[in-house]
Amino acid sequence: MNLILLGAPGAGKGTQSAKISEKFGIPAISTGDILRAAMKNGTQLGKQAKAFVEAGQLVPDALVIDLIKERLGEPDCKKGFILDGFPRSIHQAEALKAMGVKIDAVVSIEVPDEKIVKRMAGRRVCACGASYHVDYNPPKVADVCDKCGAKLVIRSDDAPETVQARLKTYHDQTEPLVGYYASEGLLIRIEGQDEVSDTTKLVFKAIERFEA
């Protein structure tokens, strides 16, 4: 089963792709992970990507598409995969189709912007890797990590003005994919819930119905 996950930043794509991967035994593939792995392993494409990253530039579409193509050719993708963070535009979706990659379903996790801003503004992280939320997963002591006792901080990506800018980019560039895949009869809309487990139940139910 070849899936694409769509959704705004903070909608929960990464969390849900991990849940799907675990349940169905197919790899969750994110553009960020592929880029980091290729750069770390020093592959030819990784070296090209690193040059752009170190120059503070966006990695060009053509290079991202080549990296995706390379990753989808690996043995663990033979039984299926989940794409998280790709495609990000109609152009990338057309490139994926041109590769001959068959997509079985596209799951769009839909959460209103105001909820996303609240979710991300409430996130707190620790240098040890622990993550919290002031409403949904608060630490035992405010702003203090349960695991190591260090002070929790707000990531720069989670600042309200940054979140608003990321949402605008999503609506301008990526949201048109919802209509694109709906027109191809592949879209499954899921209303993101406050509880992660509730969203997961809806995602699983939709995928299992599709599988049947």
Side-chain angles (χ1 to χ4, degrees):
M1 182 166 53
N2 301 339
L3 300 174
I4 291 172
L5 254 62
L6 294 178
K13 297 188 302 300
T15 300
Q16 296 306 324
S17 65
K19 301 281 187 186
I20 298 167
S21 174
E22 184 180 352
K23 181 174 174 66
F24 295 94
I26 55 178
I29 299 169
S30 83
T31 310
D33 288 345
I34 291 174
L35 280 169
R36 284 187 287 272
M39 289 189 290
K40 183 180 177 182
N41 296 332
T43 66
Q44 185 178 350
L45 291 174
K47 288 175 183 175
Q48 292 176 40
K50 190 175 183 180
F52 286 100
V53 171
E54 288 181 345
Q57 300 172 356
L58 288 175
V59 178
D61 260 9
L63 184 50
V64 172
I65 289 161
D66 284 344
L67 283 163
I68 292 286
K69 187 175 184 179
E70 184 177 74
R71 178 67 183 89
L72 294 183
E74 292 181 16
D76 64 338
C77 291
K78 285 185 178 178
K79 292 183 179 179
F81 54 80
I82 309 141
L83 286 175
D84 167 15
F86 184 92
R88 288 184 184 273
S89 64
I90 301 289
H91 172 70
Q92 289 186 351
E94 294 286 4
L96 190 64
K97 187 187 287 187
M99 285 182 214
V101 175
K102 180 181 180 293
I103 298 300
D104 296 307
V106 178
V107 178
S108 175
I109 301 173
E110 302 184 354
V111 180
D113 284 5
E114 57 271 20
K115 275 195 175 184
I116 285 176
V117 172
K118 184 180 178 182
R119 275 186 190 182
M120 297 176 83
R123 289 202 298 202
R124 300 292 183 272
V125 295
C126 179
C128 76
S131 181
Y132 303 88
H133 193 283
V134 294
D135 294 320
Y136 308 124
N137 179 35
K140 292 173 184 174
V141 178
D143 293 327
V144 176
C145 180
D146 293 349
K147 294 183 179 179
C148 71
K151 183 174 175 59
L152 300 176
V153 298
I154 301 172
R155 293 191 324 172
S156 58
D157 275 1
D158 291 339
E161 59 275 15
T162 306
V163 175
Q164 293 285 7
R166 292 173 68 196
L167 285 170
K168 184 179 187 308
T169 299
Y170 170 77
H171 291 311
D172 290 346
Q173 296 180 9
T174 307
E175 196 170 36
L177 287 169
V178 172
Y180 176 86
Y181 284 118
S183 69
E184 298 206 342
L186 297 174
L187 191 73
I188 301 170
R189 293 179 184 268
I190 299 293
E191 189 174 333
Q193 306 296 304
D194 289 337
E195 293 292 332
V196 170
S197 59
D198 291 338
T199 303
T200 303
K201 286 175 188 173
L202 292 174
V203 169
F204 285 174
K205 187 176 179 182
I207 292 173
E208 286 165 356
R209 187 171 65 243
F210 160 78
E211 270 198 313

